[in-house]
Amino acid sequence: SQQGEEDPQALSIQEGENATMNCSYKTSINNLQWYRQNSGRGLVHLILIRSNEREKHSGRLRVTLDTSKKSSSLLITASRAADTASYFCATQSGNTPLVFGKGTRLSVIA
Amino acid sequence: NAGVMQNPRHLVRRRGQEARLRCSPMKGHSHVYWYRQLPEEGLKFMVYLQKENIIDESGMPKERFSAEFPKEGPSILRIQQVVRGDSAAYFCASSPEATGGFEKKLFFGSGTQLSVL
């Protein structure tokens, strides 16, 4: 079953702008992860945020988690053309496998 | 340090044939996961294996699909009597033993694109 739902489905921005993607989920979680997928490739892990954390940074990435609203956001600052990819959130509950959302397709125009 | 290796990258089969997809996890990883991805969709979990054991196969169809991860050699996802609806990208991921409780960070292969004619 689909746990995470990303919003928007697609996002197109100019280079240098910030990109914000949101993820909502249904059940309680241990952690939430964000992955990136370039066209025709496998997913690459970006960042993991635990259920007891509210915000996490990694380079130009900022992730927030609101467990009361069951939602997370991924912010990419000062975007580059190379950031063009699909971004997926994935949730983990207990010892179950990661459940992925449908993703947000980000296009960064130079 | 090689990443997760999947082969073949592309596989074409006619309806009714068998498809065998291979996955070698990262060195030191003992957990393997198979996911299926349809165009414009997210990844759907199929099966989770450790060496010689199937831990969770709740996402795998009961018929025609099977998976193994033998003591020696790669993990194999086998689809018998393929149908057009099996056409998809199949991704394998591996992880080490979970640390800090239940935190599974997955490392993905580049996938096998299966096309059924």
mmCIF file of all heavy atoms in Angstrom, chain A residues 5-57:
data_model
loop_
_atom_site.group_PDB
_atom_site.id
_atom_site.type_symbol
_atom_site.label_atom_id
_atom_site.label_comp_id
_atom_site.label_asym_id
_atom_site.label_seq_id
_atom_site.Cartn_x
_atom_site.Cartn_y
_atom_site.Cartn_z
ATOM 1 N N GLU A 5 2.654 10.296 0.212
ATOM 2 C CA GLU A 5 2.130 10.949 -0.985
ATOM 3 C C GLU A 5 2.853 12.270 -1.133
ATOM 4 O O GLU A 5 2.743 13.146 -0.266
ATOM 5 C CB GLU A 5 0.616 11.188 -0.862
ATOM 6 C CG GLU A 5 -0.217 9.927 -0.913
ATOM 7 C CD GLU A 5 -0.254 9.300 -2.302
ATOM 8 O OE1 GLU A 5 -0.012 10.007 -3.288
ATOM 9 O OE2 GLU A 5 -0.504 8.085 -2.382
ATOM 10 N N GLU A 6 3.594 12.428 -2.239
ATOM 11 C CA GLU A 6 4.322 13.664 -2.438
ATOM 12 C C GLU A 6 3.454 14.702 -3.141
ATOM 13 O O GLU A 6 2.562 14.369 -3.937
ATOM 14 C CB GLU A 6 5.599 13.411 -3.264
ATOM 15 C CG GLU A 6 6.683 12.659 -2.523
ATOM 16 C CD GLU A 6 6.572 11.177 -2.735
ATOM 17 O OE1 GLU A 6 5.480 10.711 -3.129
ATOM 18 O OE2 GLU A 6 7.559 10.468 -2.511
ATOM 19 N N ASP A 7 3.793 15.924 -2.881
ATOM 20 C CA ASP A 7 3.069 17.046 -3.477
ATOM 21 C C ASP A 7 4.078 18.172 -3.687
ATOM 22 O O ASP A 7 4.833 18.484 -2.770
ATOM 23 C CB ASP A 7 1.944 17.470 -2.520
ATOM 24 C CG ASP A 7 1.334 18.788 -2.921
ATOM 25 O OD1 ASP A 7 0.868 18.885 -4.066
ATOM 26 O OD2 ASP A 7 1.342 19.718 -2.099
ATOM 27 N N PRO A 8 4.166 18.792 -4.863
ATOM 28 C CA PRO A 8 3.355 18.503 -6.043
ATOM 29 C C PRO A 8 3.866 17.267 -6.797
ATOM 30 O O PRO A 8 4.926 16.753 -6.476
ATOM 31 C CB PRO A 8 3.529 19.759 -6.882
ATOM 32 C CG PRO A 8 4.923 20.200 -6.563
ATOM 33 C CD PRO A 8 5.109 19.896 -5.092
ATOM 34 N N GLN A 9 3.129 16.824 -7.786
ATOM 35 C CA GLN A 9 3.596 15.715 -8.621
ATOM 36 C C GLN A 9 4.749 16.158 -9.497
ATOM 37 O O GLN A 9 5.653 15.382 -9.792
ATOM 38 C CB GLN A 9 2.457 15.185 -9.484
ATOM 39 C CG GLN A 9 1.398 14.438 -8.705
ATOM 40 C CD GLN A 9 0.367 13.800 -9.610
ATOM 41 O OE1 GLN A 9 0.399 13.972 -10.821
ATOM 42 N NE2 GLN A 9 -0.550 13.066 -9.028
ATOM 43 N N ALA A 10 4.700 17.412 -9.947
ATOM 44 C CA ALA A 10 5.757 17.945 -10.798
ATOM 45 C C ALA A 10 6.000 19.398 -10.426
ATOM 46 O O ALA A 10 5.072 20.118 -10.040
ATOM 47 C CB ALA A 10 5.377 17.821 -12.267
ATOM 48 N N LEU A 11 7.258 19.813 -10.564
ATOM 49 C CA LEU A 11 7.655 21.162 -10.175
ATOM 50 C C LEU A 11 8.730 21.637 -11.141
ATOM 51 O O LEU A 11 9.713 20.914 -11.379
ATOM 52 C CB LEU A 11 8.192 21.141 -8.736
ATOM 53 C CG LEU A 11 8.705 22.434 -8.128
ATOM 54 C CD1 LEU A 11 7.585 23.462 -8.056
ATOM 55 C CD2 LEU A 11 9.267 22.161 -6.732
ATOM 56 N N SER A 12 8.543 22.832 -11.681
ATOM 57 C CA SER A 12 9.516 23.387 -12.613
ATOM 58 C C SER A 12 9.942 24.757 -12.110
ATOM 59 O O SER A 12 9.104 25.622 -11.867
ATOM 60 C CB SER A 12 8.893 23.497 -14.011
ATOM 61 O OG SER A 12 9.846 23.956 -14.941
ATOM 62 N N ILE A 13 11.252 24.944 -11.935
ATOM 63 C CA ILE A 13 11.753 26.210 -11.396
ATOM 64 C C ILE A 13 12.988 26.651 -12.169
ATOM 65 O O ILE A 13 13.586 25.865 -12.921
ATOM 66 C CB ILE A 13 12.107 26.087 -9.894
ATOM 67 C CG1 ILE A 13 13.191 25.009 -9.682
ATOM 68 C CG2 ILE A 13 10.882 25.806 -9.062
ATOM 69 C CD1 ILE A 13 13.703 24.927 -8.271
ATOM 70 N N GLN A 14 13.378 27.907 -11.954
ATOM 71 C CA GLN A 14 14.596 28.428 -12.568
ATOM 72 C C GLN A 14 15.795 28.122 -11.673
ATOM 73 O O GLN A 14 15.673 28.040 -10.441
ATOM 74 C CB GLN A 14 14.481 29.943 -12.741
ATOM 75 C CG GLN A 14 13.371 30.392 -13.678
ATOM 76 C CD GLN A 14 13.693 30.121 -15.129
ATOM 77 O OE1 GLN A 14 14.853 30.140 -15.530
ATOM 78 N NE2 GLN A 14 12.670 29.847 -15.925
ATOM 79 N N GLU A 15 16.921 27.973 -12.304
ATOM 80 C CA GLU A 15 18.160 27.762 -11.554
ATOM 81 C C GLU A 15 18.351 28.903 -10.549
ATOM 82 O O GLU A 15 18.105 30.073 -10.869
ATOM 83 C CB GLU A 15 19.344 27.714 -12.526
ATOM 84 C CG GLU A 15 20.526 26.906 -12.025
ATOM 85 C CD GLU A 15 21.541 26.628 -13.123
ATOM 86 O OE1 GLU A 15 21.631 27.446 -14.055
ATOM 87 O OE2 GLU A 15 22.226 25.598 -13.049
ATOM 88 N N GLY A 16 18.775 28.543 -9.347
ATOM 89 C CA GLY A 16 18.971 29.543 -8.306
ATOM 90 C C GLY A 16 17.791 29.680 -7.354
ATOM 91 O O GLY A 16 17.961 30.157 -6.226
ATOM 92 N N GLU A 17 16.618 29.280 -7.809
ATOM 93 C CA GLU A 17 15.437 29.338 -6.938
ATOM 94 C C GLU A 17 15.458 28.164 -5.965
ATOM 95 O O GLU A 17 16.200 27.200 -6.140
ATOM 96 C CB GLU A 17 14.157 29.307 -7.773
ATOM 97 C CG GLU A 17 13.961 30.536 -8.629
ATOM 98 C CD GLU A 17 12.665 30.458 -9.430
ATOM 99 O OE1 GLU A 17 12.185 29.345 -9.691
ATOM 100 O OE2 GLU A 17 12.153 31.522 -9.787
ATOM 101 N N ASN A 18 14.598 28.265 -4.945
ATOM 102 C CA ASN A 18 14.446 27.166 -3.998
ATOM 103 C C ASN A 18 13.313 26.254 -4.447
ATOM 104 O O ASN A 18 12.331 26.708 -5.040
ATOM 105 C CB ASN A 18 14.135 27.694 -2.598
ATOM 106 C CG ASN A 18 15.278 28.507 -2.021
ATOM 107 O OD1 ASN A 18 16.424 28.411 -2.490
ATOM 108 N ND2 ASN A 18 14.987 29.299 -0.995
ATOM 109 N N ALA A 19 13.450 24.978 -4.143
ATOM 110 C CA ALA A 19 12.414 23.995 -4.473
ATOM 111 C C ALA A 19 11.919 23.349 -3.188
ATOM 112 O O ALA A 19 12.731 22.893 -2.375
ATOM 113 C CB ALA A 19 12.967 22.921 -5.407
ATOM 114 N N THR A 20 10.614 23.320 -3.020
ATOM 115 C CA THR A 20 10.022 22.695 -1.836
ATOM 116 C C THR A 20 9.080 21.578 -2.259
ATOM 117 O O THR A 20 8.199 21.784 -3.102
ATOM 118 C CB THR A 20 9.244 23.712 -0.992
ATOM 119 O OG1 THR A 20 10.135 24.743 -0.568
ATOM 120 C CG2 THR A 20 8.653 23.032 0.237
ATOM 121 N N MET A 21 9.294 20.409 -1.686
ATOM 122 C CA MET A 21 8.441 19.255 -1.948
ATOM 123 C C MET A 21 7.881 18.762 -0.622
ATOM 124 O O MET A 21 8.577 18.791 0.391
ATOM 125 C CB MET A 21 9.245 18.141 -2.620
ATOM 126 C CG MET A 21 9.610 18.463 -4.045
ATOM 127 S SD MET A 21 11.030 17.521 -4.627
ATOM 128 C CE MET A 21 12.358 18.623 -4.179
ATOM 129 N N ASN A 22 6.640 18.313 -0.654
ATOM 130 C CA ASN A 22 5.982 17.879 0.570
ATOM 131 C C ASN A 22 5.606 16.411 0.483
ATOM 132 O O ASN A 22 5.404 15.859 -0.598
ATOM 133 C CB ASN A 22 4.721 18.708 0.804
ATOM 134 C CG ASN A 22 5.024 20.176 0.870
ATOM 135 O OD1 ASN A 22 5.744 20.631 1.746
ATOM 136 N ND2 ASN A 22 4.511 20.928 -0.086
ATOM 137 N N CYS A 23 5.522 15.804 1.653
ATOM 138 C CA CYS A 23 5.173 14.380 1.731
ATOM 139 C C CYS A 23 4.218 14.204 2.904
ATOM 140 O O CYS A 23 4.493 14.685 4.007
ATOM 141 C CB CYS A 23 6.444 13.558 1.948
ATOM 142 S SG CYS A 23 6.174 11.826 2.378
ATOM 143 N N SER A 24 3.105 13.536 2.656
ATOM 144 C CA SER A 24 2.185 13.205 3.742
ATOM 145 C C SER A 24 2.093 11.689 3.856
ATOM 146 O O SER A 24 2.229 10.979 2.857
ATOM 147 C CB SER A 24 0.803 13.810 3.491
ATOM 148 O OG SER A 24 0.263 13.335 2.272
ATOM 149 N N TYR A 25 1.873 11.211 5.071
ATOM 150 C CA TYR A 25 1.789 9.770 5.287
ATOM 151 C C TYR A 25 0.659 9.474 6.251
ATOM 152 O O TYR A 25 0.059 10.392 6.827
ATOM 153 C CB TYR A 25 3.126 9.220 5.803
ATOM 154 C CG TYR A 25 3.631 9.870 7.073
ATOM 155 C CD1 TYR A 25 3.322 9.340 8.313
ATOM 156 C CD2 TYR A 25 4.427 11.006 7.018
ATOM 157 C CE1 TYR A 25 3.789 9.922 9.475
ATOM 158 C CE2 TYR A 25 4.889 11.611 8.177
ATOM 159 C CZ TYR A 25 4.572 11.065 9.402
ATOM 160 O OH TYR A 25 5.022 11.661 10.555
ATOM 161 N N LYS A 26 0.358 8.186 6.400
ATOM 162 C CA LYS A 26 -0.882 7.835 7.105
ATOM 163 C C LYS A 26 -0.673 7.267 8.508
ATOM 164 O O LYS A 26 -1.451 7.546 9.419
ATOM 165 C CB LYS A 26 -1.679 6.824 6.277
ATOM 166 C CG LYS A 26 -2.123 7.342 4.905
ATOM 167 C CD LYS A 26 -3.025 6.348 4.201
ATOM 168 C CE LYS A 26 -3.523 6.863 2.873
ATOM 169 N NZ LYS A 26 -2.483 6.832 1.848
ATOM 170 N N THR A 27 0.357 6.434 8.681
ATOM 171 C CA THR A 27 0.488 5.750 9.976
ATOM 172 C C THR A 27 1.701 6.264 10.737
ATOM 173 O O THR A 27 2.517 7.008 10.196
ATOM 174 C CB THR A 27 0.613 4.238 9.764
ATOM 175 O OG1 THR A 27 1.832 3.974 9.040
ATOM 176 C CG2 THR A 27 -0.557 3.686 8.959
ATOM 177 N N SER A 28 1.837 5.857 11.980
ATOM 178 C CA SER A 28 2.992 6.289 12.758
ATOM 179 C C SER A 28 4.260 5.675 12.179
ATOM 180 O O SER A 28 4.224 4.588 11.600
ATOM 181 C CB SER A 28 2.813 5.880 14.224
ATOM 182 O OG SER A 28 2.743 4.471 14.314
ATOM 183 N N ILE A 29 5.357 6.380 12.336
ATOM 184 C CA ILE A 29 6.605 5.957 11.709
ATOM 185 C C ILE A 29 7.766 5.992 12.690
ATOM 186 O O ILE A 29 7.710 6.678 13.714
ATOM 187 C CB ILE A 29 6.953 6.852 10.491
ATOM 188 C CG1 ILE A 29 7.110 8.315 10.939
ATOM 189 C CG2 ILE A 29 5.894 6.718 9.409
ATOM 190 C CD1 ILE A 29 7.630 9.240 9.854
ATOM 191 N N ASN A 30 8.823 5.259 12.359
ATOM 192 C CA ASN A 30 10.086 5.360 13.086
ATOM 193 C C ASN A 30 10.983 6.426 12.468
ATOM 194 O O ASN A 30 11.699 7.137 13.168
ATOM 195 C CB ASN A 30 10.834 4.018 13.069
ATOM 196 C CG ASN A 30 10.115 2.964 13.857
ATOM 197 O OD1 ASN A 30 9.541 2.039 13.306
ATOM 198 N ND2 ASN A 30 10.124 3.109 15.170
ATOM 199 N N ASN A 31 10.970 6.473 11.150
ATOM 200 C CA ASN A 31 11.753 7.481 10.457
ATOM 201 C C ASN A 31 11.185 7.710 9.074
ATOM 202 O O ASN A 31 10.382 6.909 8.560
ATOM 203 C CB ASN A 31 13.233 7.076 10.375
ATOM 204 C CG ASN A 31 13.464 5.851 9.506
ATOM 205 O OD1 ASN A 31 13.421 5.925 8.284
ATOM 206 N ND2 ASN A 31 13.719 4.708 10.143
ATOM 207 N N LEU A 32 11.595 8.813 8.489
ATOM 208 C CA LEU A 32 11.191 9.154 7.127
ATOM 209 C C LEU A 32 12.464 9.483 6.352
ATOM 210 O O LEU A 32 13.358 10.155 6.878
ATOM 211 C CB LEU A 32 10.228 10.342 7.126
ATOM 212 C CG LEU A 32 9.633 10.768 5.773
ATOM 213 C CD1 LEU A 32 8.189 11.236 5.961
ATOM 214 C CD2 LEU A 32 10.466 11.819 5.098
ATOM 215 N N GLN A 33 12.529 8.998 5.128
ATOM 216 C CA GLN A 33 13.732 9.204 4.325
ATOM 217 C C GLN A 33 13.358 9.836 2.988
ATOM 218 O O GLN A 33 12.257 9.645 2.484
ATOM 219 C CB GLN A 33 14.421 7.854 4.082
ATOM 220 C CG GLN A 33 14.756 7.111 5.373
ATOM 221 C CD GLN A 33 15.421 5.772 5.133
ATOM 222 O OE1 GLN A 33 16.151 5.570 4.163
ATOM 223 N NE2 GLN A 33 15.175 4.828 6.034
ATOM 224 N N TRP A 34 14.289 10.592 2.440
ATOM 225 C CA TRP A 34 14.120 11.150 1.103
ATOM 226 C C TRP A 34 15.180 10.552 0.181
ATOM 227 O O TRP A 34 16.353 10.430 0.554
ATOM 228 C CB TRP A 34 14.248 12.671 1.125
ATOM 229 C CG TRP A 34 13.038 13.359 1.686
ATOM 230 C CD1 TRP A 34 12.798 13.691 2.996
ATOM 231 C CD2 TRP A 34 11.899 13.808 0.951
ATOM 232 N NE1 TRP A 34 11.577 14.310 3.112
ATOM 233 C CE2 TRP A 34 11.006 14.396 1.879
ATOM 234 C CE3 TRP A 34 11.528 13.775 -0.400
ATOM 235 C CZ2 TRP A 34 9.776 14.941 1.492
ATOM 236 C CZ3 TRP A 34 10.313 14.316 -0.776
ATOM 237 C CH2 TRP A 34 9.446 14.897 0.159
ATOM 238 N N TYR A 35 14.728 10.197 -1.028
ATOM 239 C CA TYR A 35 15.594 9.626 -2.042
ATOM 240 C C TYR A 35 15.445 10.420 -3.330
ATOM 241 O O TYR A 35 14.413 11.026 -3.584
ATOM 242 C CB TYR A 35 15.223 8.157 -2.327
ATOM 243 C CG TYR A 35 15.623 7.187 -1.245
ATOM 244 C CD1 TYR A 35 14.874 7.069 -0.075
ATOM 245 C CD2 TYR A 35 16.745 6.376 -1.390
ATOM 246 C CE1 TYR A 35 15.231 6.175 0.924
ATOM 247 C CE2 TYR A 35 17.111 5.469 -0.395
ATOM 248 C CZ TYR A 35 16.348 5.380 0.752
ATOM 249 O OH TYR A 35 16.709 4.483 1.737
ATOM 250 N N ARG A 36 16.476 10.339 -4.135
ATOM 251 C CA ARG A 36 16.480 11.013 -5.431
ATOM 252 C C ARG A 36 16.693 9.958 -6.506
ATOM 253 O O ARG A 36 17.454 9.004 -6.329
ATOM 254 C CB ARG A 36 17.618 12.024 -5.427
ATOM 255 C CG ARG A 36 18.028 12.557 -6.772
ATOM 256 C CD ARG A 36 19.370 13.256 -6.670
ATOM 257 N NE ARG A 36 19.911 13.476 -7.983
ATOM 258 C CZ ARG A 36 20.311 14.665 -8.422
ATOM 259 N NH1 ARG A 36 20.238 15.716 -7.637
ATOM 260 N NH2 ARG A 36 20.785 14.790 -9.630
ATOM 261 N N GLN A 37 16.019 10.140 -7.660
ATOM 262 C CA GLN A 37 16.179 9.217 -8.774
ATOM 263 C C GLN A 37 16.371 10.002 -10.057
ATOM 264 O O GLN A 37 15.482 10.747 -10.480
ATOM 265 C CB GLN A 37 14.973 8.289 -8.911
ATOM 266 C CG GLN A 37 15.124 7.253 -10.019
ATOM 267 C CD GLN A 37 13.915 6.356 -10.166
ATOM 268 O OE1 GLN A 37 12.782 6.790 -9.977
ATOM 269 N NE2 GLN A 37 14.144 5.080 -10.514
ATOM 270 N N ASN A 38 17.524 9.836 -10.670
ATOM 271 C CA ASN A 38 17.733 10.389 -11.992
ATOM 272 C C ASN A 38 17.103 9.432 -13.009
ATOM 273 O O ASN A 38 16.980 8.240 -12.772
ATOM 274 C CB ASN A 38 19.226 10.553 -12.274
ATOM 275 C CG ASN A 38 19.815 11.718 -11.508
ATOM 276 O OD1 ASN A 38 20.150 11.593 -10.340
ATOM 277 N ND2 ASN A 38 19.901 12.861 -12.146
ATOM 278 N N SER A 39 16.727 9.981 -14.141
ATOM 279 C CA SER A 39 16.008 9.220 -15.153
ATOM 280 C C SER A 39 16.759 7.945 -15.526
ATOM 281 O O SER A 39 17.947 7.989 -15.863
ATOM 282 C CB SER A 39 15.811 10.094 -16.393
ATOM 283 O OG SER A 39 15.101 9.383 -17.381
ATOM 284 N N GLY A 40 16.077 6.808 -15.427
ATOM 285 C CA GLY A 40 16.677 5.538 -15.830
ATOM 286 C C GLY A 40 17.663 4.958 -14.836
ATOM 287 O O GLY A 40 18.356 3.989 -15.161
ATOM 288 N N ARG A 41 17.746 5.527 -13.654
ATOM 289 C CA ARG A 41 18.713 5.058 -12.650
ATOM 290 C C ARG A 41 18.009 4.608 -11.380
ATOM 291 O O ARG A 41 16.811 4.782 -11.209
ATOM 292 C CB ARG A 41 19.708 6.178 -12.305
ATOM 293 C CG ARG A 41 20.363 6.835 -13.490
ATOM 294 C CD ARG A 41 21.191 5.888 -14.297
ATOM 295 N NE ARG A 41 22.328 5.356 -13.547
ATOM 296 C CZ ARG A 41 23.206 4.498 -14.055
ATOM 297 N NH1 ARG A 41 23.057 4.054 -15.279
ATOM 298 N NH2 ARG A 41 24.222 4.083 -13.326
ATOM 299 N N GLY A 42 18.794 4.025 -10.489
ATOM 300 C CA GLY A 42 18.252 3.639 -9.193
ATOM 301 C C GLY A 42 18.148 4.836 -8.264
ATOM 302 O O GLY A 42 18.591 5.936 -8.585
ATOM 303 N N LEU A 43 17.539 4.608 -7.114
ATOM 304 C CA LEU A 43 17.361 5.684 -6.150
ATOM 305 C C LEU A 43 18.622 5.871 -5.316
ATOM 306 O O LEU A 43 19.330 4.909 -5.011
ATOM 307 C CB LEU A 43 16.189 5.371 -5.220
ATOM 308 C CG LEU A 43 14.802 5.745 -5.742
ATOM 309 C CD1 LEU A 43 14.400 4.854 -6.891
ATOM 310 C CD2 LEU A 43 13.774 5.657 -4.615
ATOM 311 N N VAL A 44 18.856 7.108 -4.934
ATOM 312 C CA VAL A 44 19.999 7.434 -4.096
ATOM 313 C C VAL A 44 19.482 8.066 -2.808
ATOM 314 O O VAL A 44 18.686 9.013 -2.852
ATOM 315 C CB VAL A 44 20.957 8.411 -4.818
ATOM 316 C CG1 VAL A 44 22.082 8.836 -3.886
ATOM 317 C CG2 VAL A 44 21.526 7.749 -6.071
ATOM 318 N N HIS A 45 19.939 7.559 -1.695
ATOM 319 C CA HIS A 45 19.519 8.080 -0.396
ATOM 320 C C HIS A 45 20.059 9.491 -0.185
ATOM 321 O O HIS A 45 21.243 9.760 -0.419
ATOM 322 C CB HIS A 45 20.028 7.157 0.709
ATOM 323 C CG HIS A 45 19.644 7.582 2.083
ATOM 324 N ND1 HIS A 45 20.417 8.413 2.862
ATOM 325 C CD2 HIS A 45 18.549 7.301 2.825
ATOM 326 C CE1 HIS A 45 19.823 8.613 4.020
ATOM 327 N NE2 HIS A 45 18.688 7.950 4.024
ATOM 328 N N LEU A 46 19.176 10.397 0.266
ATOM 329 C CA LEU A 46 19.588 11.775 0.524
ATOM 330 C C LEU A 46 19.711 12.060 2.016
ATOM 331 O O LEU A 46 20.729 12.578 2.485
ATOM 332 C CB LEU A 46 18.584 12.750 -0.090
ATOM 333 C CG LEU A 46 18.481 12.774 -1.623
ATOM 334 C CD1 LEU A 46 17.371 13.719 -2.050
ATOM 335 C CD2 LEU A 46 19.802 13.160 -2.247
ATOM 336 N N ILE A 47 18.655 11.740 2.751
ATOM 337 C CA ILE A 47 18.627 12.162 4.147
ATOM 338 C C ILE A 47 17.581 11.342 4.906
ATOM 339 O O ILE A 47 16.571 10.927 4.327
ATOM 340 C CB ILE A 47 18.339 13.681 4.230
ATOM 341 C CG1 ILE A 47 18.702 14.250 5.602
ATOM 342 C CG2 ILE A 47 16.913 13.996 3.829
ATOM 343 C CD1 ILE A 47 18.788 15.777 5.598
ATOM 344 N N LEU A 48 17.846 11.081 6.164
ATOM 345 C CA LEU A 48 16.925 10.356 7.040
ATOM 346 C C LEU A 48 16.614 11.236 8.234
ATOM 347 O O LEU A 48 17.523 11.844 8.818
ATOM 348 C CB LEU A 48 17.565 9.040 7.493
ATOM 349 C CG LEU A 48 16.787 8.113 8.447
ATOM 350 C CD1 LEU A 48 17.242 6.672 8.265
ATOM 351 C CD2 LEU A 48 16.929 8.514 9.910
ATOM 352 N N ILE A 49 15.349 11.313 8.595
ATOM 353 C CA ILE A 49 14.954 12.073 9.787
ATOM 354 C C ILE A 49 14.151 11.147 10.689
ATOM 355 O O ILE A 49 13.237 10.444 10.236
ATOM 356 C CB ILE A 49 14.177 13.363 9.405
ATOM 357 C CG1 ILE A 49 13.914 14.213 10.650
ATOM 358 C CG2 ILE A 49 12.893 13.052 8.645
ATOM 359 C CD1 ILE A 49 13.495 15.651 10.324
ATOM 360 N N ARG A 50 14.511 11.097 11.936
ATOM 361 C CA ARG A 50 13.850 10.211 12.892
ATOM 362 C C ARG A 50 12.551 10.844 13.389
ATOM 363 O O ARG A 50 12.371 12.062 13.324
ATOM 364 C CB ARG A 50 14.774 9.914 14.075
ATOM 365 C CG ARG A 50 16.062 9.219 13.674
ATOM 366 C CD ARG A 50 16.897 8.837 14.895
ATOM 367 N NE ARG A 50 18.116 8.151 14.495
ATOM 368 C CZ ARG A 50 19.285 8.739 14.339
ATOM 369 N NH1 ARG A 50 19.405 10.032 14.570
ATOM 370 N NH2 ARG A 50 20.345 8.042 13.951
ATOM 371 N N SER A 51 11.687 10.034 13.944
ATOM 372 C CA SER A 51 10.373 10.535 14.370
ATOM 373 C C SER A 51 10.478 11.531 15.521
ATOM 374 O O SER A 51 9.566 12.330 15.733
ATOM 375 C CB SER A 51 9.472 9.365 14.778
ATOM 376 O OG SER A 51 10.059 8.637 15.833
ATOM 377 N N ASN A 52 11.591 11.508 16.263
ATOM 378 C CA ASN A 52 11.747 12.449 17.369
ATOM 379 C C ASN A 52 12.538 13.704 16.963
ATOM 380 O O ASN A 52 12.886 14.528 17.801
ATOM 381 C CB ASN A 52 12.416 11.780 18.571
ATOM 382 C CG ASN A 52 13.803 11.284 18.260
ATOM 383 O OD1 ASN A 52 14.261 11.339 17.118
ATOM 384 N ND2 ASN A 52 14.494 10.790 19.273
ATOM 385 N N GLU A 53 12.821 13.832 15.674
ATOM 386 C CA GLU A 53 13.509 15.013 15.165
ATOM 387 C C GLU A 53 12.529 15.891 14.397
ATOM 388 O O GLU A 53 11.562 15.394 13.820
ATOM 389 C CB GLU A 53 14.677 14.597 14.250
ATOM 390 C CG GLU A 53 15.758 13.799 14.973
ATOM 391 C CD GLU A 53 16.851 13.316 14.034
ATOM 392 O OE1 GLU A 53 16.522 12.811 12.939
ATOM 393 O OE2 GLU A 53 18.037 13.434 14.421
ATOM 394 N N ARG A 54 12.777 17.175 14.364
ATOM 395 C CA ARG A 54 11.878 18.116 13.690
ATOM 396 C C ARG A 54 12.497 18.692 12.434
ATOM 397 O O ARG A 54 11.778 19.075 11.510
ATOM 398 C CB ARG A 54 11.492 19.252 14.642
ATOM 399 C CG ARG A 54 10.637 18.775 15.788
ATOM 400 C CD ARG A 54 9.281 18.277 15.294
ATOM 401 N NE ARG A 54 8.582 17.525 16.306
ATOM 402 C CZ ARG A 54 8.528 16.191 16.332
ATOM 403 N NH1 ARG A 54 9.134 15.463 15.409
ATOM 404 N NH2 ARG A 54 7.861 15.568 17.280
ATOM 405 N N GLU A 55 13.827 18.785 12.413
ATOM 406 C CA GLU A 55 14.484 19.394 11.266
ATOM 407 C C GLU A 55 15.879 18.810 11.128
ATOM 408 O O GLU A 55 16.526 18.470 12.114
ATOM 409 C CB GLU A 55 14.575 20.910 11.473
ATOM 410 C CG GLU A 55 15.055 21.685 10.265
ATOM 411 C CD GLU A 55 14.890 23.177 10.452
ATOM 412 O OE1 GLU A 55 13.787 23.616 10.838
ATOM 413 O OE2 GLU A 55 15.869 23.898 10.217
ATOM 414 N N LYS A 56 16.312 18.705 9.871
ATOM 415 C CA LYS A 56 17.649 18.184 9.615
ATOM 416 C C LYS A 56 18.207 18.850 8.363
ATOM 417 O O LYS A 56 17.461 19.138 7.428
ATOM 418 C CB LYS A 56 17.592 16.667 9.427
ATOM 419 C CG LYS A 56 18.857 15.950 9.811
ATOM 420 C CD LYS A 56 18.580 14.502 10.100
ATOM 421 C CE LYS A 56 19.852 13.811 10.540
ATOM 422 N NZ LYS A 56 19.641 12.381 10.813
ATOM 423 N N HIS A 57 19.513 19.091 8.357
ATOM 424 C CA HIS A 57 20.152 19.746 7.228
ATOM 425 C C HIS A 57 21.245 18.848 6.674
ATOM 426 O O HIS A 57 21.906 18.119 7.395
ATOM 427 C CB HIS A 57 20.785 21.068 7.673
ATOM 428 C CG HIS A 57 19.816 22.075 8.165
ATOM 429 N ND1 HIS A 57 19.443 23.192 7.448
ATOM 430 C CD2 HIS A 57 19.103 22.125 9.314
ATOM 431 C CE1 HIS A 57 18.559 23.897 8.147
ATOM 432 N NE2 HIS A 57 18.335 23.276 9.283
#
